[in-house]
Amino acid sequence: MKRGLSVFLALIVLLSALPFAASAAKLIGDGNEDYIVNAKDVTILRRCLAGGYGVTVDERVSDTNGDGEINAKDVTALRRYLAGGFGTELGTTADARQLYYTGAVTGGQLYADLDEPRFGDVVCGYGLTVLVDGAEDADSAALLKEKIVSGNTEKIIPKGSYTKVTSDPDTMHITVSTVKTLPASYKEITLNLRQDSKYRLLGRAEQLSDGVRCDWSADGVEFTADCGGLIRLTASVNHEYWRNHLRFRVIVDGVLSDPIQFEETNGEARTLTASLLVQPGKHTVRIIKDTSGDYADDRLISVTFSGKADTVAPTQPRPKLLEVIGASTATGAGILPTPDDGESVGTNNTATIAQTFGYLVAEELNMDITTVVKGSLGIVARAGSPVKYNLPELYECKNRYRDDYSIKKGEKTGEPERYGFERKADMIILMINENDKTISSEEWTPATKAFINRLREINGEDCTILFLYYSGSAHKADIAQVLK
């Protein structure tokens, strides 16, 4: 596309479904099934009706006015019920055959967010199949139906086994898959990311002598291997540069692990295990930085798993590269729940790059992805501490925050390091955000034009650039001027 800009209008907040326990009856209006009808349910229903959010709701609880349809009238009824004074009443559904257990069991431990999990026809109407090392085990299924309750799971699932639970609501069936023993040919493998070459760098990740530096969301490594079991990561963060809760995501054959949260480490390496079962076989393993972009000196040091050493190899680059530029919405801010630990603050703790619009587009189009995304920034607006930059000023650097702080401390001299752009972007999604809403059109429009011209200078005239912005964006009208 020569000099042309494709304009893409969309809403960009994507939500992921959170795990909820089940109940004998569902509350009308309780779209997120947390047993409370409140403003969260209004938001979920509105997003479901709007489409594009990946949100689905149970039709039995979402028809709040009881007319047999789910539409805007149900939103109105729900809001009136919550406001009070309108005489609107909600009830419960009678048929609520639910899963009492929808999570995974790993090493005999229940996830903390599950309550009284049970299987079986008597309790919840679901059939149960247990597969042990790929073969059906009726005895184990009978045992689980009777015995699996909160607190005694470690007595049922053998320690050291790897177990996952899947459910099919259409057939009313649960399958528990357990790997008791990995193949005898498997050995423990540790990819030392300080020196091994059996992996590919992702995003803007940088190879250093002591690990792989991951400045931005979607930075990381990827490799293929004949492997199984659980994956253990070792990573570190230097808090002298920036306050950060270090978090990575493991993605195996496109399947997400739970967020891997490395707590504050004060520069010391920490090891955690991916909450994702990897059945024995050939897999593509991707490890990416999942935080919203508080740019500490994050480094992946090693990854350990069970498998065949001679099968480990770096993946091949995908045919094209998608680059995402934006602020907190581009990082998936708001997708994850806010940790209730009294310490976590800011969008860094609620964001996940792996479920953002940009990441999902890259997966759908089989493109590699790189990001320059940082909360509170705009094309003109600057935010941050201890130094302030906007998105164009950050774009051409490796990490201005870290480098400038090192210069201030006397650890480095000169200017921040520039990013080399060895690989050019084939497509760029430029997420226009509300951080520039106080910036006048007279300043914003020429700044945006200049940034786009610079993007084309760096990536080539044929690079497709997509604007992504809210329907009520502060500079929506100015984009027409930019398009000229």
Side-chain angles (χ1 to χ4, degrees):
M1 183 174 70
K2 300 287 188 179
R3 293 280 180 186
L5 291 177
S6 298
V7 182
F8 185 42
L9 308 179
L11 292 170
I12 60 177
V13 179
L14 296 172
L15 293 181
S16 64
L18 303 179
F20 301 104
S23 132
K26 293 185 175 183
L27 295 173
I28 296 296
D30 183 18
N32 64 358
E33 299 179 48
D34 61 357
Y35 309 118
I36 303 173
V37 179
N38 55 25
K40 294 180 181 178
D41 300 301
V42 176
T43 300
I44 287 175
L45 182 54
R46 291 179 65 183
R47 286 173 172 165
C48 178
L49 293 172
Y53 290 89
V55 175
T56 58
V57 294
D58 190 326
E59 295 181 1
R60 293 174 295 179
V61 300
S62 299
D63 181 16
T64 57
N65 66 356
D67 64 358
E69 298 180 0
I70 300 177
N71 50 35
K73 294 180 181 179
D74 297 301
V75 176
T76 300
L78 188 55
R79 292 178 67 180
R80 286 179 172 175
Y81 167 76
L82 293 172
F86 289 88
T88 303
E89 296 294 334
L90 303 178
T92 61
T93 61
D95 181 17
R97 298 204 303 172
Q98 281 268 72
L99 287 182
Y100 273 66
Y101 186 77
T102 58
V105 182
T106 303
Q109 300 299 315
L110 284 173
Y111 286 130
D113 58 12
L114 300 171
D115 181 32
E116 294 292 337
R118 289 186 174 87
F119 294 112
D121 297 329
V122 175
V123 177
C124 59
Y126 275 73
L128 173 66
T129 298
V130 175
L131 299 177
V132 177
D133 291 340
E136 188 168 344
D137 188 334
D139 292 337
S140 294
L143 179 65
L144 283 176
K145 283 184 179 181
E146 295 179 1
K147 302 293 187 181
I148 185 166
V149 295
S150 180
N152 75 344
T153 316
E154 69 280 356
K155 301 176 183 177
I156 299 168
I157 305 299
K159 185 177 181 181
S161 68
Y162 309 109
T163 302
K164 70 176 179 181
V165 180
T166 58
S167 63
D168 186 342
D170 294 329
T171 61
M172 300 285 288
H173 202 85
I174 304 169
T175 302
V176 179
S177 300
T178 298
V179 180
K180 283 188 175 179
T181 57
L182 292 171
S185 58
Y186 277 21
K187 307 297 181 183
E188 185 173 276
I189 300 169
T190 296
L191 281 182
N192 187 335
L193 302 179
R194 298 168 179 166
Q195 55 191 18
D196 263 299
S197 60
K198 296 181 179 180
Y199 54 88
R200 179 168 71 95
L201 297 181
L202 300 176
R204 289 190 172 190
E206 181 183 5
Q207 184 67 64
L208 302 176
S209 60
D210 58 350
V212 173
R213 173 179 282 165
C214 302
D215 279 341
W216 307 90
S217 300
D219 284 3
V221 300
E222 186 177 85
F223 58 89
T224 62
D226 187 342
C227 60
L230 296 176
I231 295 174
R232 300 195 305 278
L233 304 179
T234 303
S236 69
V237 56
N238 190 332
H239 283 279
E240 291 185 3
Y241 292 111
W242 198 255
R243 184 174 63 84
N244 189 7
H245 286 266
L246 182 62
R247 190 174 67 231
F248 283 83
R249 181 83 72 158
V250 175
I251 303 171
V252 179
D253 301 331
V255 178
L256 295 174
S257 72
D258 288 341
I260 306 252
Q261 179 79 40
F262 293 80
E263 299 297 339
E264 294 194 21
T265 61
N266 297 317
E268 298 177 1
R270 290 291 181 90
T271 302
L272 280 184
T273 301
S275 300
L276 179 70
L277 170 74
V278 182
Q279 297 285 358
K282 187 173 182 178
H283 300 288
T284 297
V285 180
R286 171 179 290 187
I287 302 169
I288 62 169
K289 183 179 177 183
D290 199 37
T291 46
S292 71
D294 281 357
Y295 309 147
D297 190 0
D298 296 352
R299 304 190 187 199
L300 280 170
I301 297 174
S302 66
V303 53
T304 302
F305 53 91
S306 295
K308 298 179 180 179
D310 58 356
T311 68
V312 181
T315 61
Q316 294 300 310
R318 296 182 178 184
K320 293 187 176 182
L321 175 65
L322 171 68
E323 187 167 59
V324 178
I325 305 172
S328 58
T329 48
T331 70
I335 290 179
L336 296 177
T338 303
D340 185 22
D341 56 12
E343 298 179 359
S344 300
V345 294
T347 57
N348 186 59
N349 297 283
T350 66
T352 168
I353 194 68
Q355 290 173 284
T356 59
F357 175 81
Y359 190 92
L360 296 176
V361 167
E363 291 300 291
E364 184 70 20
L365 300 181
N366 190 35
M367 301 176 75
D368 282 329
I369 185 172
T370 183
T371 65
V372 180
V373 288
K374 173 70 175 78
S376 303
L377 300 188
I379 291 178
V380 177
R382 296 171 172 85
S385 176
V387 289
K388 300 180 183 292
Y389 295 111
N390 57 31
L391 289 172
E393 292 167 338
L394 281 180
Y395 179 72
E396 297 187 45
C397 296
K398 290 184 177 179
N399 187 325
R400 296 196 73 148
Y401 287 91
R402 182 191 65 244
D403 287 351
D404 273 11
Y405 196 62
S406 296
I407 291 170
K408 282 186 176 182
K409 293 177 63 178
E411 297 173 351
K412 293 179 59 177
T413 60
E415 292 294 320
E417 293 182 75
R418 314 294 282 188
Y419 182 65
F421 294 101
E422 286 81 7
R423 188 177 182 187
K424 311 299 184 183
D426 298 283
M427 178 186 294
I428 293 174
I429 295 179
L430 182 56
M431 289 192 170
I432 305 301
N433 57 68
E434 297 302 283
N435 295 323
D436 280 329
K437 64 184 178 182
T438 61
I439 306 300
S440 69
S441 297
E442 290 74 19
E443 184 177 3
W444 187 87
T445 302
T448 303
K449 289 181 179 180
F451 188 31
I452 290 170
N453 286 334
R454 183 58 181 152
L455 292 176
R456 290 200 179 285
E457 288 178 11
I458 292 173
N459 295 286
E461 296 295 324
D462 290 334
C463 178
T464 302
I465 300 177
L466 306 175
F467 275 137
L468 182 65
Y469 59 92
Y470 289 108
S471 60
S473 178
H475 288 282
K476 179 180 179 180
D478 297 328
I479 291 179
Q481 297 298 316
V482 175
L483 290 173
K484 292 182 179 180

